[in-house]
Amino acid sequence: MKVIQHSVETLQTALISNRQDLVTLYNKYTKNERHLLEEGFHSGQPGSLFQPITVHSDSDWIPAHPEEPQDFESFYRDLYRKTPDASLHTIYIQTIGSFGEVGSQTDQYVEWLRDYCQVFFYGLSVKLLPAVTVAETRCSFRINSNSHNIQIRTRDLLRFLEERKPKDAFCIVGLTMIDLYPKDSWNFVFGEASLSMGMGVFSFARYDDNFYSRSYAGRLQKQLQPKQGDYSVFDDYYTPPISSTLLLRSCKTMTHEIGHMFGIQHCQWLNCVMQGSNHLEESDRRPLDFCPVCLRKIQVAIGFKIAERYQALLQWMEENQSQTSCQSVPLFPKPTETFHTSKLWLRRCLDILQST
């Protein structure tokens, strides 16, 4: 295992910049906000809010995909970064395929994701588009020769999202519980995005702990390639139970990928939700939120108050009981057991931001 430890001077430059106009912009943060952001300079020390990145093997993202680190200045001067404005201010979520029956736990899960996205990108509107079936997308599909699970083609889905994208959309993301592949030569992909078009599609199928098991309920018994155009194969397609782990992984992936829509590249500064990941174990090591450098990027892009965002995130995690139905019957409680570490972390952040 290798720990990537940057010097204080390197992290200062990455966060604040040496450009006087960006230093002036940074100094507009309150004393408490600067205190929080500068906690990153003490990464790796006992009790630090932020930790250095650890590389566990050559299969991890950083050694496998060498990239130029993006500091705040690079992000700020990037001509291609996207900033929400009065006309493009809504994140749209489009579910594709079955997410369970109305009133089921998986149906609620989509609402939980929408609500989480709303507080994570605090200040933007997040809306759910009416659900669509796989047949409506007219996408290609196949049975994976290794897993024998059915897969749908991402590039067809992106084409569909482009046609469906509302005029006021900052971005549109497609979510599905069906496994994905980008082209015939690939085994699978967790998701694919067109950042220039503000679109992405992501599958949470492999976040089910049983996905790789021979007893996985979504595994098709027939190993024959289904006939293209016969979308009946998706009728009553299996949707996994919504565990706390699946919800955590889904929130993490969704916000990571939408973060890219703002022009935020993979983080190489500190442990951060924007780190790249090559496999599930590496993704699970990522925290749920931004490091100080990436937090400054998203804060400048949206313009929220940092304390208000953290408070909204904490409230989402602590609201374990969802809204009740119109018959006043409680629905499924939100499974947030795996968010416990994040709740403690948010409270520590708020202690700094709200100190006198």
Side-chain angles (χ1 to χ4, degrees), residues 144-355:
N144 183 283
S145 58
N146 296 319
S147 69
H148 305 300
N149 295 328
I150 201 160
Q151 297 177 302
I152 50 181
R153 185 180 170 100
T154 55
R155 295 179 186 180
D156 296 338
L157 299 176
L158 289 173
R159 183 204 67 243
F160 172 80
L161 292 175
E162 182 179 7
E163 297 170 352
R164 197 172 176 84
K165 187 178 181 181
K167 291 183 178 180
D168 67 340
F170 172 72
C171 66
I172 180 171
V173 292
L175 306 182
T176 184
M177 282 294 191
I178 304 168
D179 204 26
L180 299 173
Y181 74 104
K183 54 184 178 180
D184 292 341
S185 59
W186 282 54
N187 181 33
F188 80 97
V189 69
F190 284 112
E192 185 175 358
S194 172
L195 305 186
S196 62
M197 297 293 290
M199 301 183 306
V201 59
F202 317 107
S203 169
F204 300 139
R206 291 177 182 250
Y207 291 164
D208 182 352
D209 286 332
N210 295 317
F211 182 86
Y212 297 96
S213 167
R214 284 187 171 274
S215 61
Y216 179 65
R219 183 183 176 96
L220 296 186
Q221 299 304 314
K222 295 180 180 179
Q223 299 182 19
L224 299 175
Q225 181 71 24
K227 183 179 179 181
Q228 291 298 323
D230 180 11
Y231 293 101
S232 63
V233 70
F234 296 100
D235 293 345
D236 301 318
Y237 188 77
Y238 171 72
T239 53
I242 307 305
S243 66
S244 183
T245 298
L246 190 146
L247 181 61
L248 177 72
R249 288 168 172 171
S250 302
C251 288
K252 194 179 294 186
T253 294
M254 177 180 65
T255 52
H256 172 102
E257 298 298 345
I258 294 175
H260 284 317
M261 304 290 182
F262 290 84
I264 302 175
Q265 297 176 11
H266 286 126
C267 183
Q268 299 183 53
W269 303 111
L270 295 164
N271 212 17
C272 178
V273 72
M274 292 308 299
Q275 284 172 244
S277 61
N278 264 354
H279 45 84
L280 186 56
E281 189 273 334
E282 184 177 21
S283 178
D284 283 344
R285 292 200 304 265
R286 293 184 309 198
L288 199 55
D289 214 296
F290 296 109
C291 75
V293 179
C294 294
L295 176 61
R296 188 184 180 196
K297 294 173 186 176
I298 198 69
Q299 192 281 326
V300 165
I302 299 177
F304 52 73
K305 297 289 186 181
I306 297 175
E308 291 179 1
R309 175 180 176 272
Y310 282 163
Q311 189 63 58
L313 282 165
L314 184 60
Q315 184 176 351
W316 181 92
M317 294 177 194
E318 291 181 337
E319 287 177 344
N320 289 327
Q321 185 66 47
S322 70
Q323 295 179 348
T324 58
S325 69
C326 58
Q327 290 82 20
S328 298
V329 178
L331 298 181
F332 299 93
K334 190 190 303 174
T336 56
E337 298 85 0
T338 53
F339 291 79
H340 180 69
T341 299
S342 294
K343 287 194 286 187
L344 296 178
W345 182 84
L346 286 169
R347 291 188 188 118
R348 291 181 61 200
C349 290
L350 285 167
D351 285 343
I352 292 174
L353 291 168
Q354 296 171 347
S355 64

Side-chain angles (χ1 to χ4, degrees), residues 4-12 14-15 26 33-45 47-53 269-271 290-295 345 349 352:
I4 300 177
Q5 186 76 57
H6 298 288
S7 68
V8 172
E9 292 76 14
T10 298
L11 290 171
Q12 284 177 328
L15 173 65
Y26 178 79
E33 287 171 337
R34 294 196 301 272
H35 181 183
L36 174 75
L37 292 168
E38 291 166 16
E39 275 285 309
F41 303 160
H42 312 298
S43 64
Q45 296 182 14
S48 175
L49 278 172
F50 303 98
Q51 299 300 319
I53 295 173
W269 303 111
L270 295 164
N271 212 17
F290 296 109
C291 75
V293 179
C294 294
L295 176 61
W345 182 84
C349 290
I352 292 174

